[in-house]
Amino acid sequence: MKDLNINEFSNVIRVGEIVKGTKLVKSKKYILYNSTLDIVWDKNFKLKKECLSIVYIFTVDGIIKKIGKTDGNGGINAGLSFYLNAGTDDPGLNRFVINRYMRDAIKQNQKVEVYMFYLDKVKLEIPTLFGPKIKEVRINSMEMESESLHSYYIQTGKYPDWNYQEAGISHLGKLHEEYGHYKTMRGKGLK
């Protein structure tokens, strides 16, 4: 089973690089890390907060590790913040673990990058109580993500390493236990 390199795809846009943050986090609750991760945005990247239908891709040294989606308000900036802040806020298990994977890669001097492709808003005739109305809307990016994951699987015989949920793989006991401990400590309000 081979991994796919992001350089094999011409339809993606490089968003930036994930790095260890330098700003110290202050909290009245327990935190695991003294700083969040940060993103160094590419100079030419202009879509940080655009509300689009987005599929994002995390890579480590060019190898695709995670394919995900976001189409919420705040664009790719908001979608990435959940991953970057995990361990200093109240993340779900998935984002907590992927934050750890990114931190581990950065500690090993590996390059963690983010890429994306997107669909602009489309004009649709929307049925309403008072009759049809033409409106620009975002299409849910679920199909874009699903098709991308399916195609990745067909090409490689597996899902990207960090798409463990799609692969039906549970976390290693250590990471699951660490997450449970983190949530317990956060609940106590102690640092």
Side-chain angles (χ1 to χ4, degrees):
M1 290 190 248
K2 70 172 193 154
D3 292 309
L4 296 181
N5 192 297
I6 196 66
N7 294 330
E8 297 175 42
F9 304 93
S10 60
N11 64 324
V12 296
I13 301 166
R14 187 175 184 272
V15 172
E17 182 176 351
I18 305 290
V19 297
K20 185 175 183 322
T22 56
K23 186 177 177 185
L24 294 179
V25 174
K26 295 178 182 174
S27 177
K28 292 182 181 180
K29 291 184 171 188
Y30 174 81
I31 57 173
L32 188 59
Y33 307 113
N34 62 3
S35 69
T36 64
L37 294 175
D38 284 336
I39 183 161
V40 178
W41 299 97
D42 277 4
K43 279 191 272 182
N44 297 327
F45 185 72
K46 307 282 188 231
L47 303 172
K48 290 179 200 169
K49 296 183 180 180
E50 294 292 320
C51 295
L52 305 164
S53 302
I54 296 170
V55 168
Y56 57 84
I57 302 146
F58 291 134
T59 67
V60 174
D61 288 342
I63 301 299
I64 295 174
K65 295 293 185 176
K66 166 83 174 153
I67 298 171
K69 70 161 189 77
T70 185
D71 40 31
N73 292 330
I76 188 77
N77 184 58
L80 293 177
S81 70
F82 294 111
Y83 292 101
L84 302 177
N85 296 329
T88 64
D89 64 356
D90 293 306
L93 178 61
N94 183 42
R95 289 183 172 91
F96 181 87
V97 170
I98 290 175
N99 180 284
R100 168 55 65 82
Y101 290 159
M102 289 191 287
R103 287 176 185 275
D104 289 348
I106 291 166
K107 280 182 194 172
Q108 296 172 25
N109 294 317
Q110 294 175 305
K111 190 181 237 183
V112 179
E113 296 172 291
V114 181
Y115 293 81
M116 69 177 246
F117 58 92
Y118 67 94
L119 177 65
D120 278 314
K121 290 180 181 178
V122 295
K123 281 188 180 180
L124 290 177
E125 184 177 273
I126 308 294
T128 74
L129 179 62
F130 298 100
K133 179 178 181 180
I134 302 290
K135 188 172 182 180
E136 274 196 347
V137 297
R138 270 178 284 165
I139 303 296
N140 185 317
S141 55
M142 180 70 75
E143 286 300 319
M144 293 168 30
E145 177 196 37
S146 178
E147 285 299 318
S148 296
L149 286 166
H150 177 73
S151 296
Y152 186 101
Y153 186 85
I154 295 298
Q155 288 290 313
T156 64
K158 67 181 188 96
Y159 290 101
D161 294 343
W162 299 354
N163 283 95
Y164 54 84
Q165 290 173 313
E166 289 82 358
I169 299 169
S170 62
H171 295 292
L172 298 174
K174 180 183 173 193
L175 290 173
H176 206 131
E177 288 173 21
E178 187 176 310
Y179 176 73
H181 174 75
Y182 176 75
K183 293 298 277 185
T184 299
M185 295 302 291
R186 283 278 296 167
K188 291 180 180 179
L190 303 174
K191 185 171 182 191

